[in-house]
Amino acid sequence: MTRDPIPAGLTDGAYVAKFVIAVDGPAGSGKSSVSRAAARALGFGYQDTGAAYRALAWHALQQGVDLDDADAVLASWDTFDYAIGTDPDAYFVRVGDTDVTDAIRTPDVTAAVAHIAKLPDVRHRLVQLFRNVMRRTDAQGIITEGRDITTVVAPDADVRILLTADEQVRMARRSAEVTTQSAAETSAALARRDAADAKVVDFMNAADGVTTLDSTDLDFDQTVQAVVDLARAAGH
């Protein structure tokens, strides 16, 4: 999946899918869980782009790569055999023959992601990977979520959403998800991730044509329904 060429006749930024929903947002905003549930409701595929950053970080750690050595990180790409399940009911992440679905969520990998995500060459290669996943989906559409999805990965998506919430709400939600760290540790990790990513991409302000969905006062089901409603309003 990481090696697929761009199909003949397509520009570098093009992708092929019947209907694309792009979802951006800061850490702890609920992008993954909301997008996955909305994809299930719509009969769409689902792509968690953050999983690829995490998987590459895991791969680099397994190889003993110095994460501060940009050339070494890029060299690890040559052996990065990545695959992701886009069926929201059969989600998996693999590197080679190893299922890393759970392994990429450990604190060590989380800490390493910032080193990976800050490298422009890595981001460019991953953007091509994300588009390849969208091209290959068998579903009638796909929800792709992460950072800079609405502006870089899929700027021509049928629906573009910035999913956000107040910082304290995001930290509380993330703390409830992570059971291996204290609330203080989880909140600090979220803040560090936002600060690191903010140096590379603006994920707090909606670009032109992007709908801001603030879930601060919405519960999970209401947020999912809001995404579904935006898809239906756009013609799906």
Side-chain angles (χ1 to χ4, degrees):
M1 189 173 293
T2 60
R3 303 295 189 269
D4 287 355
I6 296 173
L10 291 181
T11 62
D12 181 62
Y15 50 82
V16 177
K18 292 182 180 179
F19 198 98
V20 174
I21 299 176
V23 180
D24 276 329
S29 62
K31 297 186 304 296
S32 296
S33 55
V34 168
S35 295
R36 188 172 178 178
R40 185 180 295 114
L42 291 163
F44 279 15
Y46 159 68
Q47 180 181 196
D48 168 12
T49 62
Y53 283 98
R54 288 176 171 275
L56 182 57
W58 176 89
H59 180 61
L61 289 172
Q62 292 296 303
Q63 292 190 320
V65 171
D66 179 356
L67 297 179
D68 291 319
D69 184 339
D71 290 337
V73 172
L74 285 174
S76 72
W77 180 270
D78 293 336
T79 54
F80 181 51
D81 183 15
Y82 175 79
I84 188 169
T86 56
D87 181 339
D89 291 317
Y91 176 78
F92 66 83
V93 181
R94 287 198 299 263
V95 177
D97 295 328
T98 304
D99 187 313
V100 297
T101 308
D102 295 327
I104 62 174
R105 301 295 169 181
T106 63
D108 285 348
V109 172
T110 298
V113 169
H115 296 267
I116 300 296
K118 71 181 181 181
L119 300 175
D121 286 342
V122 167
R123 297 185 74 87
H124 176 75
R125 294 181 188 190
L126 286 171
V127 165
Q128 303 311 313
L129 183 154
F130 302 149
R131 291 173 179 160
N132 284 339
V133 172
M134 288 191 282
R135 292 182 187 114
R136 292 165 63 100
T137 183
D138 293 327
Q140 59 184 315
I142 188 167
I143 299 182
T144 294
E145 57 89 2
R147 300 282 176 89
D148 67 16
I149 308 302
T150 64
T151 54
V152 177
V153 176
D156 296 325
D158 300 271
V159 176
R160 296 186 295 155
I161 300 169
L162 174 66
L163 179 60
T164 188
D166 288 345
E167 183 176 5
Q168 292 304 314
V169 171
R170 292 190 290 111
M171 288 185 175
R173 290 173 179 171
R174 180 55 60 87
S175 294
E177 294 172 355
V178 180
T179 59
T180 57
Q181 292 179 302
S182 69
E185 289 172 330
T186 301
S187 296
L190 183 148
R192 287 194 299 270
R193 176 74 190 281
D194 278 350
D197 285 356
K199 297 177 181 179
V200 181
V201 59
D202 181 2
F203 54 84
M204 294 299 292
N205 299 293
D208 290 344
V210 176
T211 299
T212 298
L213 176 54
D214 189 329
S215 68
T216 301
D217 298 318
L218 301 178
D219 64 23
F220 179 76
D221 289 340
Q222 289 171 326
T223 308
V224 172
Q225 188 60 51
V227 174
V228 171
D229 289 344
L230 285 168
R232 290 174 176 164
H236 174 70

